[in-house]
Amino acid sequence: MAVQIQTAVTPIDSRIVENACQHLRTVSQFLLEEKECQPSDSKGVLVVVEALLDLDQERQRLHDALEAETIKASVLRHKLLNVPLETEKEIQGAVNEAEKQI
């Protein structure tokens, strides 16, 4: 019988990352207090915490960049849909003016 692992995609935000980091700091402190653990074990957990925080900053930077690009694309899409109509109106206006002069 195969075991299926279901994962739900949860939008990540800085609160989730900070919460995870706080739990990892607690684990790090616990490792420091344990007699069988080496200080390097605790430091390793703190390295993971720093990496998570760095990744979260990069995620936020990329999110902001994506948002800016999405807005730019929307403006360009709007122009793409409307410029042909505006051009057609200008041409029709020029044709009407030319017909009046004939």
Side-chain angles (χ1 to χ4, degrees):
M1 181 174 162
V3 175
Q4 290 184 338
I5 299 175
Q6 295 181 348
T7 59
V9 177
T10 303
I12 300 294
D13 66 23
S14 293
R15 293 175 306 204
I16 293 171
V17 173
E18 186 54 46
N19 190 34
C21 288
Q22 187 58 42
H23 287 295
L24 287 170
R25 287 182 191 107
T26 302
V27 169
S28 175
Q29 187 61 37
F30 175 78
L31 290 174
L32 276 176
E33 294 168 359
E34 284 297 308
K35 303 282 190 263
E36 294 97 27
C37 294
Q38 300 295 319
S40 61
D41 297 334
S42 175
K43 287 181 183 177
V45 174
L46 294 177
V47 168
V48 171
V49 169
E50 287 302 313
L52 281 174
L53 293 173
D54 290 345
L55 286 171
D56 187 52
Q57 287 177 348
E58 181 68 8
R59 179 200 58 80
Q60 185 61 48
R61 188 191 66 74
L62 289 171
H63 181 272
D64 293 344
L66 176 62
E67 188 172 337
E69 291 300 319
T70 300
I71 291 168
K72 288 178 189 175
S74 177
V75 168
L76 291 173
R77 197 170 24 259
H78 177 74
K79 286 181 181 179
L80 182 64
L81 294 174
N82 290 316
V83 165
L85 296 175
E86 292 170 8
T87 304
E88 186 178 330
K89 287 179 186 177
E90 289 175 12
I91 292 171
Q92 188 59 46
V95 169
N96 290 342
E97 282 296 316
E99 288 175 348
K100 286 181 187 178
Q101 293 178 0
I102 294 179

